[in-house]
Amino acid sequence: MQKDKLVPKLFSVMKGYSKQQLVKDIIAGVIVAIIALPLSIALALASGVGPEQGIYTAIIAGFLISFFGGSRVQIAGPTAAFATIVAGIVAADGMDGLVIATVIAGILLILMGVFRLGSLIKFIPFTITTGFTAGIAVTIVIGQLKDFFGLTYPAGTHTIETMDKLKAVFSNFGTMNWQALVVGAVCLAILIVWPKVSEKIPGSLIAVIVGILMVKLLKMNVNTIGDLYTISNKLPSFHLPVLTWGTIRSGMSNGLTIAILAAIESLLSAVVADGMINSKHRSNMELVAQGIGNIGSALFGGIPATGAIARTAANIKNGGRTPIAGMVHAVVLLIVLVVLMPYAALIPMPCIAAILFMVAYNMCGWRTFVKLCKTAPKSDILVLVATFVLTVVFDLVVAIEIGMLAAVILFIKRMAQESRVSGWKYYDEENPDSSEEELRNLPKHVRVYEISGPMFFGTADHIADIHLKDFTKALIIRMRGVPALDSTAMKALEELHAMCTAKGVRLIFSHVNEQPMKTMEKAGFVEKVGAENFAAHIEEAIALASVAE
C-alpha cells in the first residue's frame, strides 16, 4: 500500500507542484505560524522550560517533520499532551535528562517506522486514548491555576506532581491577585468569543495583545513572562549532554513514554487530516519523521514534538496541501524568533494561563468521554475512568500501563464468555418431539460436541467439559465456529485425545478452520490423531463415526 512506503510525502507531491499551490502553501504557512507563536510559548512555559524553547521546537521539529513526514499537511510542534511529562522530567533530571529522553524517543520512533509498526497503534483502545487525553487536559488546567489567579506560594513549596499543585492552590488561595484574575478573565473571554468574530486572525494573538495593553496602560500589578524568565532571541545552538550508562538507563523509561505518546498523537492527527483532504498518509514514514524531528529538536534546545491536530486543521482550512506549508511555518517562526522574541517578555502570565485553559478544553473531548460513560460496556467504562484518574493522580506512564493491562484482561474475559463447548442432545431420548431439522438422529455410540469461539488460554478449560459415556465409541469435535487456537488449547486437545485413546474411543474432527489446522499440524497433532479423522463437514464426520461401533 502507498502509505507503507518509507518515502516522504514531499518527494511525491512535488512532481505535480504548481505556482498556485505554492502561493496557497505560503499563505497557510504564515497563518499557522501566527497561531503557533503564542501556543508554542505557552506550552513551553507549561513544560517548565523557557519560552524560546517552545519556538525552537516549532522551528526545528516543525521543519524536519514536514520535510520527512508521511502526511501532506501535518503541522508539528510542542503540544499539550507533553506538557506535564516534560515538566516532570525537567524537575527530576534537568534539561540534560530531557534531551537524553527525547533523543531515545526519537530513535525508538525511527525504529518503529523502519520495522513497519505504524499500524500497531490501532491496538491501543479508544477508551485509553480518550481517558489519558482528558486526564492530561485536567492536569494542564490544574497547573495553570496559580498564574490565572495570581497566587503566591511560600518558598520551597513542592509543586512537581499534579496533586501537589492542586494542594498548593487550595493552601494559598488567600493570596489571590484580583488584577491578575481580571486580566486572565478578559483574555479567556476573548479566546471564547473571538472565533465567532473572525477565523482569519487567531484569538490567542488578540488575547496576547489585549493582555499586554491592559497591564501596561492600566499599570496593573501582574507578573509577565519577563518577570519570571530570561528572554532570548538567539538562534538555537547544538548541545549534546554528557552521556553515561546511568543517564541513558534512567532516560529509557521517559523516552519510551515520549515515543508512544508521540506516535499516538501524530498518527491520530494524520488520520484526522486524511479525512479533511481525502488523502492517505504513510504511517511508517510519519513515525520516522517524528523520530528525526524529535532528535533534532532535543539537540538544538527544543522539547518533544508531535503532530498538532489544531494547527494541522488550520493549515488545511487556509489552503495548505503539501509539506511546503509546514516548512514555511517553521521559517516564519525563525524570523519571528530573531525579530520579535524580546517583546514576548511583555505577555502577562494570566494570559498564558487563559490560552492553556482553551487548549485543555479543546483537547479534553468531554463530550466523547460522557458519551462513552453512557453507552459503552461496563468494562470499557472501567478502563476509561481508571486511565483518566490515574493520569491525573499519578502520571501518564502509570495510566497507560494499568489501562492497557486492564483492557487486555477484560478483553480476555469477554472473549472467554463468548467461547463455549456444547454437546448435541440425543434425538430419541431427550427431545422426542423435536423435528429432524433441529436435531440429528445419531447412532447411540456417537457423541458430538460443538466448540464455538476462539480457543485460547482463557477458554481451554472448556474442553474439560467434554464427557464420554460407557457406550461411546466415537467422539466428534465440530470446530466450524473456532477461528483461532493457541498452544494452551492445543494441550487440552492432546489430553482429550489421550483420554479417548485410553478408552478406545475414535476421535474425529469436523470443519477445522485454517488457523487451528495449522496449529494442529505444527504441533504434530494431525499426525497423532490421523489425517483420516479430519472431516470437511459434519455429514462426513458422522459417516466416519458410524463405522466405529
Side-chain angles (χ1 to χ4, degrees):
M1 295 176 64
Q2 186 182 27
K3 69 178 181 180
D4 290 328
K5 292 180 180 178
L6 283 180
V7 177
K9 272 286 187 177
L10 176 65
F11 299 171
S12 300
V13 301
M14 291 307 292
K15 294 175 182 177
Y17 199 60
S18 63
K19 291 183 179 178
Q20 292 83 355
Q21 188 56 55
L22 174 62
V23 172
K24 291 180 181 178
D25 285 339
I26 292 175
I27 293 172
V30 172
I31 293 174
V32 172
I34 294 172
I35 295 171
L37 177 62
L39 284 177
S40 298
I41 293 173
L43 292 168
L45 296 180
S47 301
V49 298
E52 69 277 1
Q53 288 171 290
I55 306 295
Y56 292 167
T57 307
I59 293 170
I60 298 166
F63 187 91
L64 291 174
I65 291 172
S66 289
F67 187 90
F68 291 104
S71 170
R72 296 171 64 99
V73 292
Q74 181 94 283
I75 302 295
T79 64
F82 285 120
T84 305
I85 297 171
V86 172
I89 296 172
V90 172
D93 304 323
M95 278 305 298
D96 280 0
L98 177 63
V99 172
I100 292 170
T102 308
V103 170
I104 290 172
I107 294 171
L108 292 174
L109 285 164
I110 293 173
L111 292 175
M112 289 167 66
V114 170
F115 289 105
R116 304 294 200 274
L117 300 181
S119 60
L120 294 182
I121 301 300
K122 66 184 178 184
F123 291 107
I124 296 178
F126 180 61
T127 48
I128 289 181
T129 58
T130 303
F132 76 62
T133 301
I136 289 170
V138 171
T139 62
I140 289 172
V141 170
I142 292 173
Q144 297 306 307
L145 292 175
K146 175 181 182 293
D147 289 329
F148 189 79
F149 291 105
L151 306 180
T152 301
Y153 293 168
T157 303
H158 188 69
T159 57
I160 296 177
E161 302 296 336
T162 301
M163 290 296 99
D164 293 332
K165 293 176 182 177
L166 190 60
K167 181 180 178 182
V169 168
F170 284 114
S171 299
N172 299 282
F173 204 73
T175 65
M176 180 171 56
N177 180 346
W178 287 100
Q179 294 183 12
L181 178 58
V182 169
V183 172
V186 169
C187 291
L188 185 59
I190 291 171
L191 292 166
I192 295 171
V193 175
W194 185 260
K196 299 176 182 178
V197 177
S198 172
E199 292 186 356
K200 293 295 183 182
I201 304 174
S204 55
L205 186 63
I206 301 300
V208 165
I209 293 172
V210 170
I212 292 173
L213 292 176
M214 286 179 68
V215 172
K216 283 296 178 184
L217 298 181
L218 301 178
K219 307 294 184 183
M220 302 180 79
N221 181 27
V222 176
N223 280 334
T224 64
I225 293 178
D227 294 330
L228 304 179
Y229 300 91
T230 301
I231 303 296
S232 172
N233 64 344
K234 293 181 180 179
L235 294 175
S237 58
F238 181 81
H239 170 66
L240 182 66
V242 177
L243 297 176
T244 65
W245 173 243
T247 58
I248 294 174
R249 186 174 57 185
S250 63
M252 283 299 299
S253 176
N254 291 326
L256 181 60
T257 303
I258 293 170
I260 292 174
L261 188 55
I264 294 171
E265 286 275 307
S266 62
L267 295 185
L268 283 177
S269 177
V271 169
V272 172
D274 285 347
M276 296 178 71
I277 63 173
N278 192 27
S279 181
K280 288 285 186 182
H281 73 281
R282 296 169 183 162
S283 58
N284 295 308
M285 190 65 235
E286 184 64 24
L287 290 178
V288 172
Q290 294 291 331
I292 295 171
N294 273 281
I295 292 173
S297 175
L299 295 179
F300 284 89
I303 58 178
T306 186
I309 295 177
R311 276 159 272 177
T312 299
N315 177 38
I316 294 170
K317 289 178 181 178
N318 287 283
R321 289 295 182 274
T322 77
I324 296 295
M327 295 159 68
V328 169
H329 133 271
V331 172
V332 171
L333 285 175
L334 179 63
I335 296 171
V336 169
L337 171 69
V338 175
V339 178
L340 300 177
M341 194 60 189
Y343 296 102
L346 302 175
I347 302 175
M349 293 304 294
C351 179
I352 294 294
I355 291 172
L356 289 170
F357 282 171
M358 287 305 298
V359 169
Y361 176 80
N362 291 330
M363 76 175 287
C364 74
W366 67 270
R367 292 182 179 86
T368 302
F369 194 102
V370 171
K371 182 180 178 182
L372 284 172
C373 287
K374 290 180 178 178
T375 61
K378 290 181 179 178
S379 59
D380 287 348
I381 296 174
L382 176 63
V383 172
L384 172 70
V385 174
T387 305
F388 169 75
V389 172
L390 290 169
T391 301
V392 176
V393 176
F394 295 100
D395 58 45
L396 188 62
V397 179
V398 174
I400 292 180
E401 288 175 350
I402 296 181
M404 284 296 294
L405 181 61
V408 169
I409 291 173
L410 292 170
F411 174 76
I412 291 172
K413 181 176 180 292
R414 195 179 304 166
M415 288 298 98
Q417 291 171 340
E418 295 300 317
S419 299
R420 61 183 57 87
V421 176
S422 55
W424 281 15
K425 296 178 180 178
Y426 286 111
Y427 171 76
D428 57 344
E429 292 180 4
E430 300 179 26
N431 291 274
D433 299 325
S434 298
S435 65
E436 288 273 357
E437 288 73 23
E438 294 175 352
L439 298 170
R440 299 177 189 272
N441 192 358
L442 296 172
K444 187 176 181 180
H445 71 278
V446 177
R447 290 190 70 81
V448 178
Y449 278 87
E450 183 147 4
I451 303 177
S452 59
M455 297 306 294
F456 61 106
F457 59 88
T459 60
D461 61 326
H462 292 344
I463 296 174
D465 295 334
I466 297 175
H467 300 292
L468 302 176
K469 301 287 186 180
D470 292 338
F471 49 79
T472 302
K473 297 298 181 183
L475 173 64
I476 299 174
I477 305 297
R478 196 180 192 190
M479 296 181 63
R480 61 176 180 170
V482 180
L485 181 76
D486 77 349
S487 57
T488 305
M490 185 69 256
K491 184 177 183 296
L493 288 177
E494 288 174 342
E495 291 173 353
L496 175 65
H497 175 255
M499 180 183 72
C500 290
T501 301
K503 294 186 177 184
V505 176
R506 183 179 182 181
L507 182 60
I508 300 170
F509 288 88
S510 168
H511 199 148
V512 180
N513 290 309
E514 183 179 359
Q515 192 279 337
M517 180 60 80
K518 286 182 178 179
T519 301
M520 290 179 176
E521 289 173 346
K522 190 174 182 180
F525 187 69
V526 174
E527 182 180 355
K528 185 184 296 184
V529 174
E532 69 278 5
N533 289 315
F534 284 80
H537 47 76
I538 190 63
E539 287 80 7
E540 181 183 344
I542 293 173
L544 289 172
S546 297
V547 300
E549 187 174 14

